[in-house]
Amino acid sequence: MIGIVRLALAGLMAITAMGTARAEDALKARIGVLRLSSSAPVFIAQDKGYFREAGLEVELKFFDAAQPIAVATTSGDIDFGVTAFTAGLYNLAGKGVLKVIGGMSREKAGYPLIGYFASNNAYASGLKTPKDLAGKRVAMTQVGSSFHYSLGLLADKYGFKLADVKIVPLQSLSNAAAALKGETVDAALLPISTARKLMDDGGAKFLGWVGDETPWQLGAVFASPKTLTNKVLVTKLLGALAKADREYHDVILAAMKDGVAPINDKTKPLLEIIAKYTNLPVEQVVGNCAYIDPDGKLDVKNVDNQIKWLQEQGFADKGFDANAIIAKAFVKAD
């Protein structure tokens, strides 16, 4: 009997040791993200254990603007960044200290994400549509940000000069929202997750969606050259994200109608995960589901157009293009 007990204990200790060894063998990775639905696959991969199944121990680090994520990636504070393209990100990539390794969110018609919003006073004074932004004071996070590029595309579309718009860089989404509510600016570009409370409280007016006006490749996954030397780590991370990309697309995006995802037995578990990481109720998440390619593809042609536009505006350094900043071994091109 004692022998049987000893064998059982030995077996239990062996199983425990194996579990401990597996935990110790897991590759660690820190991912910088914003609390936005544009990072939904990251949240799904973390919450459903896709990273863990791939042999990764992932820590999510949250930021309040895109550019600091790029800086943190180059400094080694995080290993991977998942956020929108910015002039600052491109400049770092142009210097060789960042590489794009995959696609993430896109501005696409029918998928509400970033919107144009007016202050109540400006709206009452005639600011009714996005094309009316010429000559107005417009808040955004930073000069050269994804919001700035969106406004530039809008200016090109409607034939007004971007130089006629007074850009007010306020460094964070919360600051831009506060300025809009406080009537110190006429308008702001904000993700709907940030702007919704403003609208619900009567503090801002909706003008239109960037995706409906000017579709483009908004976000990506990127890493430093040092991180890319660990090909096993990068491959495992992208594999886990690809699984989450596909699930998010096939379960939530495929079910959307008129920009809203239904809440049912199939979609609710994923919507609840997104709600958990974005600090929003599920009822708000349903109208805030960013488009993401099911295969994690990157629209390389559009990325090249972004770089050229930013270079022409003087926001990005000259001398590089999309091919120079993409890690071709990992990127799936659209």
Side-chain angles (χ1 to χ4, degrees), residues 27-32 57-61 72-73 75-81 227 233 237:
L27 294 171
K28 298 185 188 315
R30 297 158 298 175
I31 305 177
E57 183 181 327
V58 167
E59 176 188 0
L60 301 185
K61 291 200 163 190
T73 306
S75 69
D77 289 340
I78 56 177
D79 303 298
F80 299 93
T227 297
L233 171 64
L237 182 123

Side-chain angles (χ1 to χ4, degrees), residues 25-88:
D25 290 342
L27 294 171
K28 298 185 188 315
R30 297 158 298 175
I31 305 177
V33 291
L34 301 176
R35 289 190 182 275
L36 301 176
S37 71
S38 50
S39 298
V42 180
F43 306 145
I44 292 168
Q46 178 77 329
D47 211 78
K48 296 195 72 173
Y50 297 159
F51 289 134
R52 186 174 60 252
E53 290 170 5
L56 301 176
E57 183 181 327
V58 167
E59 176 188 0
L60 301 185
K61 291 200 163 190
F62 294 96
F63 293 75
D64 196 32
Q67 178 59 17
I69 296 179
V71 174
T73 306
T74 62
S75 69
D77 289 340
I78 56 177
D79 303 298
F80 299 93
V82 178
T83 193
F85 285 113
T86 64

Side-chain angles (χ1 to χ4, degrees), residues 67-244:
Q67 178 59 17
I69 296 179
V71 174
T73 306
T74 62
S75 69
D77 289 340
I78 56 177
D79 303 298
F80 299 93
V82 178
T83 193
F85 285 113
T86 64
L89 188 156
Y90 282 130
N91 282 331
L92 290 170
K95 291 179 173 64
V97 295
L98 277 185
K99 289 286 185 180
V100 178
I101 60 174
M104 191 52 71
S105 59
R106 299 188 186 192
E107 288 287 8
K108 185 169 181 172
Y111 299 88
L113 180 57
I114 307 300
Y116 303 96
F117 300 89
S119 69
N120 288 324
N121 288 344
Y123 189 84
S125 299
L127 178 53
K128 305 291 187 182
T129 69
K131 67 180 179 181
D132 300 324
L133 286 170
K136 301 298 189 294
R137 288 172 54 84
V138 181
M140 58 184 64
T141 53
Q142 291 154 334
V143 169
S145 65
S146 59
F147 304 109
H148 203 163
Y149 177 68
S150 294
L151 190 58
L153 292 178
L154 189 77
D156 291 343
K157 178 178 179 179
Y158 289 112
F160 64 83
K161 293 181 179 179
L162 182 60
D164 291 339
V165 180
K166 174 60 176 176
I167 304 298
V168 184
L170 295 173
Q171 307 312 313
S172 73
L173 298 173
S174 54
N175 288 344
L180 189 63
K181 182 178 180 179
E183 302 283 354
T184 59
V185 295
D186 301 310
L189 278 82
L190 295 168
I192 182 56
S193 56
T194 301
R196 191 182 301 278
K197 189 175 189 312
L198 275 179
M199 291 194 296
D200 290 346
D201 294 342
K205 301 293 186 183
F206 172 69
L207 302 179
W209 298 115
V210 169
D212 291 340
E213 295 284 352
T214 54
W216 62 285
Q217 177 77 56
L218 174 65
V221 186
F222 50 92
S224 68
K226 180 179 178 181
T227 297
L228 295 184
T229 60
N230 191 338
K231 293 184 179 180
V232 173
L233 171 64
V234 179
T235 301
K236 285 177 178 291
L237 182 123
L238 290 178
L241 282 178
K243 184 175 181 179

